[in-house]
Amino acid sequence: MDARFLAELARLVGDDALLRDPADLLTYESDALVHLRATPGAVVLPSTAAEVQAVVRLCHRDGVPFVARGHGTGLSGGALPAPDGVLIGLSRLNRILDIDIPNLRVTVEPGVTNLEITRRVSPAGCYYAPDPSSQIVCSIGGNIAENSGGAHCLKYGFTVHHVLGVEAVLPDGELVHLGGAVLDAPGLDLLGVLVGSEGTLAVVTKATLRLLRRPERVLTLLAGFNSVDEAGEAVSAIIGCGIVPAAVEMMDRLTIEAAEASVHPGFPPANAVLIVELDGPQVEVDELFAVVEAACRRAGATTVEVARDQAARERIWKGRKAAFAAMGRVSPNYYVQDGVVPRTKLPEVLRRIRALEQRSGLRIGNVFHAGDGNLHPLICYDESIPGQAEHAERVASEILTYCIEAGGAITGEHGVGADKKAYMPQMFTASDLDAMQLVRCAFDPTGICNPGKVFPTPRLCGEVPGPYRQHPLERAGLIERF
Amino acid sequence: MGRPDAATIARTAASLWGTHGVHLAGPADAVDGRSPLVVLEPEDAGTAARMLRWADTEGLTVVPRGAGTKQVWGSASTGADLVLSTGRLSAAIDHCAGDLTATLPAGASLAQVNDALGRQRQWLPLDPAFADRATIGGIVATNDSGPRRQKYGTARDLIIGIEMALVDGRTAKAGGRVVKNVAGYDLSRLLCGSFGTLALITSATFKLAPLPAASRTVVATVGSARRLGELALALVAAPLTPAAVEVDSPPTRLLIRFETTPAAADQQAAAACEACERHQAPTRVLQGDTEADTWRSYEAQLWHTEGTLLKLAVLPSDVGDLVDLVERATASRAIDYRLGGRAALGVLFLKLRGNVERHMEIAADLRRAAAARGGSAVIVSTPVSGAQRIDTWGHIGDGLPLMRAVKARFDPHGTLNPGRGPGGL
């Protein structure tokens, strides 16, 4: 990286906020998808939106790519640095700026962690609804980039439903405000497309979020089943009764065993467990919960435990949320996949996964959001056995094919990032991807904002309007014009 | 360059797509006083895209149209050579009841859709203006919603996938048919509220809700505007989950609806009555036909009347202030009005009647007042035209250049609904 450029960076953010030492850069080489790594040219840790803006402006002036990073918990390589680019770490932008309980709004900087918001507003009986499993550590900026969900998004929606407005730095360094604390700001809904754009359109420097009141009543049920199919029937029956639970989670035998070995949630020894949570007004919840319990028993539940207090509920959720990490107890390594199928296709797809498990010789644990068809197969392998890591990756890839064939999606919450961009053409046509590129080109015509993510092939943005000029890379046949 | 004549355009269009989906425009097709030449009615998305490319190449401007219930919403059109109707984009409704989703053609009316979904006790829980005729495409294009926004949100909150026809002659889709999906950019939400300025929406997929088993509406008569604001906030702070909290004025009252199980609806209505009475607001609880009639007449007074329609948005805690300002701004000019809207969300609709000359003054007053509170006042529709009409949208802010850049990418020649969109896109 050019010495003059580095000196300018240091001038903008201060020496203590510019990392260049290879040992310091190591931390930033990957996000939580650790097998994809790259060394950034420099890491900056701005403390204000103005510093972010100044850094982005400088990058824009010199055509240097940059990547914004929250707390690095992403699972798709979305924060994978651009080699020789600038990595903008937003961890120092971590202030809660305003809490407005009467209007149920909170304004935060992007480095605030998800759970911190709920902690702060909890005394007022409020919470921030999206609850990704990593909520203790993941940042709101990252949640916005990925449109994070969580176990309770079946009823309460995703990050996009809870972000009311943002302040963001565009790839040319301009500061914009999209949406706001007041609903229905006039204008195109650019906020709607910015959320979930995986850091490829802008760097969010401030966000106003919607809070919810704690429901009057929360009831959680843990049911054991002899088979995943029976548990699936229970879910169908619940939805068929016109009930939309706050959460419906399912785990299979392997993940139950792993969770038990790790955090001892007291799950029953079953081939599948179902966690169903209802929340809302007491009368409604009590009435509907009886229906849910009956549906589980009718579908063949061997055990039904009802958590009636906070401690019991926390124990159940601890088991569920620890499922990924717990796989380390039963396998030296594991690969986490994230795919979605229409809920009614779950039994069929799970059967295919079971067959794949037998064929591949690799154990596959399944933990999933059964209410919305979001699967998280965990493919166990041992990296000390030559070729097994690659084999696991191929198995994970095949599961994605099943999701697409069932009419689903290649990612429900982890994002496309660098990891899954090659799968995008299986889900979207060239014309679909080109339409998305129209947005990309409007925000980032020079392609310096988190390049190489989401889209399968790098593209140049044509000038609009104006005469056509061939780009040198185009002439060299290295890049295709869009 | 003069505009080509209608007969020539119709002949060319018919030679390309047959006579079935092409006809000469008549007086009923006029938009903002502009007379389109020809109406095109594609029967599939691919044809719609080819029609768009043809219009774009020929330099003809295109106004997308569903049922036409909100055709004049937004800023005034600056070009309407062709009407592109979604009338024949009415393929079967694809309802996946077990998944609580449905893929709906743009031309289907919400009423038709909900009739079909209702057979399996589900629905698309939107209740926008003109809900009996409004089409799926039009609802998405205007992102219009109704009282039940309190519980269910808007089209933007429920949409999970979209298909569109672009001016480059291609069709494109985004999102999908599963509720949870973060693959690719969310163009579905970008098109919500885009007023037909980016692409023609040809179909959309939504998550659905189960039909509620019971409904109750508490009608609370509120003494003053300020008390109304406080009461609306108190209602959503209580452990209640109303489907709607609507202001209806004058006389000032709140319509508070609960849609849940019968026992819960009764209990919540009773709790709401207690909260109202603590705020000195006498109440009565409605159900069945009287409840339905009350909502019908509430909506009719807002939508089925002449005048200027304003959409006012402020923080929920400023709703009392705003209602008070509306009362004063209209009283001082002796203007009759009807005020409705989402009291607990801060999104109100004001219908000004009578002497139209005063409408813009009131709109300007309220816009200043809303802006001072971080909000907005948009002129949704008005009989006032030309120089007398103030800007439709008000201040859009520093995002406007980016909105223009997005428009320029989707529609570089300004073919689609020019002038109509936010900021006059």
Side-chain angles (χ1 to χ4, degrees), chain B residues 196-357:
Chain B
T197 59
L198 300 180
L200 180 80
I201 297 154
T202 54
S203 85
T205 304
F206 295 90
K207 63 175 175 179
L208 308 174
L211 274 173
S215 175
R216 304 284 183 271
T217 296
V218 174
V219 181
T221 309
V222 191
S224 72
R226 276 176 209 291
R227 196 160 276 164
L228 174 130
E230 287 160 18
L231 177 55
L233 284 182
L235 285 166
V236 290
L240 299 176
T241 51
V245 182
E246 291 286 289
V247 56
D248 179 32
S249 180
T252 306
R253 53 182 200 161
L254 277 181
L255 305 179
I256 309 141
R257 186 172 210 160
F258 297 97
E259 291 180 322
T260 168
T261 64
D266 283 333
Q267 178 267 329
Q268 293 219 24
C273 288
E274 281 172 32
C276 292
E277 272 142 35
R278 276 197 300 277
H279 285 78
Q280 286 82 46
T283 55
R284 60 203 164 93
V285 180
L286 309 178
Q287 59 177 309
D289 290 346
T290 36
E291 183 187 22
D293 288 347
T294 299
W295 283 103
R296 249 195 308 275
S297 74
Y298 160 70
E299 285 174 13
Q301 294 214 56
L302 267 183
W303 309 124
H304 299 289
T305 50
E306 297 298 313
T308 294
L309 181 68
L310 303 180
K311 180 181 183 182
L312 310 169
V314 291
L315 282 173
S317 59
D318 287 328
V319 163
D321 263 9
L322 189 67
V323 174
D324 188 47
L325 281 164
V326 167
E327 284 173 7
R328 287 193 278 130
T330 49
S332 65
R333 295 176 178 91
I335 288 290
D336 183 26
Y337 73 95
R338 194 81 219 155
L339 180 69
R342 322 298 88 90
L345 297 176
V347 179
L348 305 186
F349 289 89
L350 174 64
K351 180 62 85 56
L352 299 170
R353 299 170 189 158
N355 185 356
V356 295
E357 286 170 17

Side-chain angles (χ1 to χ4, degrees), chain A residues 103 160-161 177 182 184 187 189 200 242 281 284 287 340 342-344 369 374 409 411 413 431-432 434 436 443 462, chain B residues 98-99 149 156-157 170-173 180-182 185 189 210 241 260-261 268 311 313 316-317 374 398 402 409 422:
Chain A
N103 288 305
V160 72
H161 297 107
H177 298 81
V182 174
D184 295 3
D189 190 357
T200 62
E284 179 188 293
E287 193 176 338
V340 193
R343 206 191 53 74
T344 46
H369 308 297
N374 187 189
T411 168
E413 52 190 3
S431 156
D432 302 338
D434 286 352
M436 294 175 194
F443 275 78
Chain B
D99 299 324
R149 178 177 183 176
R156 185 232 198 230
D157 298 309
R170 299 201 286 176
T171 61
K173 65 176 187 301
K180 202 171 184 185
N181 175 9
V182 294
Y185 288 169
R189 289 191 170 83
T241 51
T260 168
T261 64
Q268 293 219 24
K311 180 181 183 182
S317 59
D398 52 19
L402 192 57
R409 293 284 170 182

Side-chain angles (χ1 to χ4, degrees), chain A residues 89-279:
Chain A
L90 295 161
S91 52
R92 292 186 184 177
L93 280 160
N94 60 358
R95 286 162 291 194
I96 294 182
L97 302 171
D98 183 52
I99 297 175
D100 176 358
I101 296 298
N103 288 305
L104 297 173
R105 308 282 197 267
V106 60
T107 300
V108 302
E109 291 184 327
V112 169
T113 62
N114 173 298
L115 197 60
E116 176 64 13
I117 296 171
T118 292
R119 280 199 192 113
R120 284 287 295 278
V121 301
S122 195
C126 297
Y127 72 111
Y128 176 64
D131 61 340
S133 294
S134 56
Q135 70 183 137
I136 302 171
V137 282
C138 64
S139 71
I140 286 297
N143 288 181
I144 292 172
E146 302 298 322
N147 189 19
S148 302
H152 292 82
C153 57
L154 177 61
K155 181 169 176 181
Y156 293 105
F158 312 94
T159 300
V160 72
H161 297 107
H162 299 273
V163 179
L164 298 172
V166 296
E167 174 192 89
V169 177
L170 297 180
D172 63 359
E174 285 299 308
L175 195 70
V176 292
H177 298 81
L178 306 174
V182 174
L183 298 182
D184 295 3
L188 285 179
D189 190 357
L190 300 184
L191 177 61
V193 75
L194 178 63
V195 176
S197 62
E198 307 195 29
T200 62
L201 298 181
V203 182
V204 169
T205 49
K206 199 190 283 183
T208 298
L209 312 171
R210 188 165 79 102
L211 300 173
L212 297 186
R213 299 266 175 201
R214 284 257 176 233
E216 185 180 26
R217 180 82 147 166
V218 183
L219 281 179
T220 310
L221 163 156
L222 176 74
F225 292 87
N226 282 327
S227 71
V228 166
D229 279 2
E230 283 178 7
E233 274 171 38
V235 179
S236 293
I238 292 165
I239 305 248
C241 291
I243 297 172
V244 180
V248 185
E249 302 284 302
M250 206 192 293
M251 293 165 69
D252 71 359
R253 175 173 281 282
L254 185 58
T255 51
I256 296 167
E257 284 170 4
E260 273 303 314
S262 167
V263 296
H264 323 295
F267 285 175
N271 285 324
V273 293
L274 200 59
I275 301 168
V276 186
E277 189 161 284
L278 297 190
D279 69 12

